[in-house]
Amino acid sequence: MQVSVENTTALERRLSITVPAERIETAVNKRLQQTAQKAKIAGFRPGKVPMSEIKRRFGADARQEAVGDVIQASFYEAVVEQKLNPAGSPSIEPKSLEAGKDLEYVAVFEVFPEFEVAGFDGIAIERLSAEVADSDLDNMLEILRKQNTRFEVAERAAQNEDQLNIDFVGKVDGEAFAGGSAKGTQLVLGSNRMIPGFEDGLVGAKAGEERVLSLTFPADYQNLDLAGKAAEFTVTVNSVSEPKLPELNEAFFAQFGIKETGIEGFRTEVRKNMERELRQAIKSKVKNQVMDGLLATNPIEVPKALLSNEVDRLRVQAVQQFGGNIKPDQLPAELFEEQAKRRVVLGLIVAEVVKQFDLKPDEDRVREMIQEMASAYQEPEQVVAWYYKNDQQLNEVRSVVLEEQVVDTVLQKAKVTDKAVSYEEAVKPAEAAQAD
């Protein structure tokens, strides 16, 4: 077999392959012999059909199948021989398929980029540190109470944070519009659920009262037919209910699976959860900075096949997340290309760091991570046992730990600055922190 390689771009390779005719004929004859053993043809006993008849009936199909098998096998042999690492399936261009002559074809494909990860010392990392203060814990308890607010009917005028039961009819140019009317809707004043002015216009209203609100839809309203238009809403208030926060008692604690431990026990459990969230938030922010740094210091070209595959995965995920009757391939690829490129490039870089530094998942850290996740459950021992009985879930944890080890490897040489901050700042999402 003859093989020649041409580098058409930085990643694209063009393999010209010639396979001796003898190999093709051997493969064809083998297929014909297999066919002869099981062919059922009228007038002949099984296994006794003359080869000339087998060739006449099945020769073309046998040759086509044999050529396909030989191309697949010879391509694999060629890339191994040339030490190439294809990043996707090849495009095959047949040059000569004539019976009795050597098989000639060209395979065009992309290879994985070859590079060494560098530039760790040029990556700047700000590592946050924080503690859960008693005031943070008190704030969290208030948040939990508010999340479990119940409403009781009040015989008074409506205030912000009250829940109103209302009927309303909206009109534009004197005509009701789709989605502009409802009956028995529960609305908390100050929730900003409705367009600007709607909720403010109901402050001070009492049960049984009707109010007419003259409002204007925002210019950027999602329904373009209504954007920027004046509207009139006739609203009937059916009832006014005031918020009642639950007491910090045994019944409240039981909602979170905590029984017979009192307020101090509840505070201890909540603090544990907050500390767990804090550790994860700090770790996540450091990891994101490391990954951004690796991307900036290691620009590499992305194989189109890998990018296309990742775009397809993101399309499927989007359909699964948002539902609807749309098919993944109906979503424009451009929507996902930037995210897909980041994920593919990071995947290649992380894999290369693992290879360069010969990293393997630290099994002690794997167990620690599983125990950390299990501690959020009532029966942590059962959760730990479950992970170690499920290879897929266990390997997912190993992958996460391996990524953490990659981060640690970078941090050893990166420029790391430690910064003490409050709990609130530490757990705030990166996007929100940048916006402040």
Side-chain angles (χ1 to χ4, degrees):
M1 186 174 74
Q2 296 179 350
V3 180
S4 63
V5 185
E6 179 185 357
N7 295 355
T8 52
T9 68
L11 296 181
E12 188 178 83
R13 301 292 180 266
R14 183 180 176 89
L15 273 184
S16 297
I17 301 174
T18 302
V19 182
E22 294 81 2
R23 180 171 175 177
I24 305 299
E25 297 308 315
T26 298
V28 172
N29 289 333
K30 182 177 180 181
R31 279 195 166 273
L32 289 173
Q33 289 168 1
Q34 292 172 343
T35 302
Q37 293 174 2
K38 56 186 178 181
K40 295 181 180 179
I41 300 177
F44 297 96
R45 286 181 296 166
K48 300 296 183 181
V49 183
M51 187 56 68
S52 58
E53 183 66 15
I54 294 293
K55 288 181 179 180
R56 186 181 72 80
R57 287 175 178 261
F58 306 106
D61 289 343
R63 179 167 297 279
Q64 184 177 0
E65 293 169 358
V67 167
D69 289 347
V70 170
I71 287 177
Q72 184 177 4
S74 58
F75 171 74
Y76 175 76
E77 294 165 9
V79 297
V80 171
E81 174 189 312
Q82 299 296 322
K83 296 182 173 60
L84 298 173
N85 189 9
S89 300
S91 171
I92 303 296
E93 304 172 10
K95 296 297 182 183
S96 174
L97 298 176
E98 189 176 342
K101 292 189 176 181
D102 292 347
L103 168 66
E104 297 179 18
Y105 69 93
V106 172
V108 180
F109 56 95
E110 289 178 300
V111 295
F112 283 92
E114 295 184 2
F115 64 99
E116 281 196 5
V117 182
F120 291 0
D121 55 356
I123 298 175
I125 305 294
E126 183 181 72
R127 183 167 54 197
L128 305 181
S129 61
E131 294 182 355
V132 179
D134 288 342
S135 58
D136 298 317
L137 180 56
D138 292 337
N139 289 337
M140 181 58 68
L141 295 183
E142 282 304 297
I143 291 172
L144 294 176
R145 292 179 71 199
K146 287 180 179 179
Q147 289 175 347
N148 289 273
T149 297
R150 57 186 176 84
F151 291 90
E152 292 182 359
V153 174
E155 301 297 333
R156 59 167 173 75
Q159 303 173 359
N160 260 333
E161 298 188 0
D162 283 349
Q163 184 181 74
L164 275 56
N165 183 286
I166 59 173
D167 303 335
F168 64 90
V169 176
K171 294 182 179 180
V172 171
D173 297 329
E175 297 290 332
F177 56 90
S181 302
K183 283 186 175 292
T185 292
Q186 303 281 24
L187 175 65
V188 175
L189 300 186
S191 64
N192 297 319
R193 206 181 98 198
M194 308 297 279
I195 65 172
F198 191 102
E199 294 168 32
D200 291 341
L202 297 177
V203 172
K206 294 183 178 181
E209 184 177 339
E210 180 179 282
R211 288 195 176 185
V212 178
L213 310 177
S214 296
L215 308 172
T216 301
F217 281 95
D220 59 352
Y221 192 63
Q222 58 187 6
N223 185 337
L224 298 181
D225 293 334
L226 298 174
K229 289 189 175 181
E232 185 178 87
F233 290 88
T234 301
V235 184
T236 300
V237 178
N238 300 319
S239 65
V240 176
S241 299
E242 61 185 353
K244 294 290 186 180
L245 296 181
E247 295 295 325
L248 290 173
N249 54 26
E250 301 298 335
F252 182 76
F253 306 152
Q255 294 180 50
F256 299 88
I258 301 171
K259 301 177 181 179
E260 300 175 358
T261 56
I263 182 63
E264 288 307 316
F266 185 68
R267 288 175 66 89
T268 298
E269 289 302 317
V270 172
R271 185 186 290 274
K272 285 180 182 177
N273 288 332
M274 293 175 70
E275 290 172 342
R276 187 184 303 112
E277 179 186 15
L278 178 62
R279 286 193 296 271
Q280 290 301 322
I282 292 174
K283 188 185 296 185
S284 177
K285 287 179 179 178
V286 169
K287 176 184 173 181
N288 288 339
Q289 291 178 76
V290 167
M291 295 304 168
D292 288 343
L294 288 173
L295 282 173
T297 55
N298 294 276
I300 60 174
E301 191 168 344
V302 181
K304 295 184 182 66
L306 297 185
L307 180 59
S308 177
N309 289 340
E310 191 59 36
V311 165
D312 287 343
R313 270 193 287 271
L314 290 173
R315 280 169 159 167
V316 171
Q317 289 175 10
V319 170
Q320 290 173 341
Q321 182 177 354
F322 298 108
N325 296 322
I326 193 170
K327 295 181 180 178
D329 58 9
Q330 292 177 305
L331 296 173
E334 306 81 56
L335 291 176
F336 306 98
E337 282 179 352
E338 185 176 344
Q339 183 184 1
K341 183 175 181 180
R342 176 183 172 87
R343 289 171 66 163
V344 169
V345 173
L346 278 178
L348 294 172
I349 291 175
V350 168
E352 186 59 30
V353 173
V354 170
K355 177 182 174 183
Q356 280 182 217
F357 292 87
D358 193 26
L359 301 178
K360 293 179 176 57
D362 183 327
E363 292 301 328
D364 289 337
R365 289 179 66 165
V366 170
R367 178 167 285 277
E368 285 176 12
M369 180 171 287
I370 292 174
Q371 289 173 337
E372 171 89 353
M373 292 186 292
S375 66
Y377 295 85
Q378 289 186 333
E379 302 290 343
E381 299 83 3
Q382 293 182 11
V383 176
V384 172
W386 179 82
Y387 269 96
Y388 279 96
K389 289 178 183 176
N390 291 270
D391 289 341
Q392 181 177 344
Q393 282 73 25
L394 184 58
N395 287 332
E396 286 178 2
V397 177
R398 287 188 175 122
S399 296
V400 174
V401 167
L402 193 57
E403 272 197 3
E404 288 188 355
Q405 292 174 236
V406 168
V407 170
D408 291 346
T409 301
V410 176
L411 291 177
Q412 289 174 8
K413 297 184 179 180
K415 300 171 183 176
V416 181
T417 303
D418 290 305
K419 180 182 179 183
V421 297
S422 67
Y423 168 83
E424 288 294 336
E425 185 175 346
V427 299
K428 185 185 296 182
E431 298 80 3
Q434 292 170 2
D436 289 347

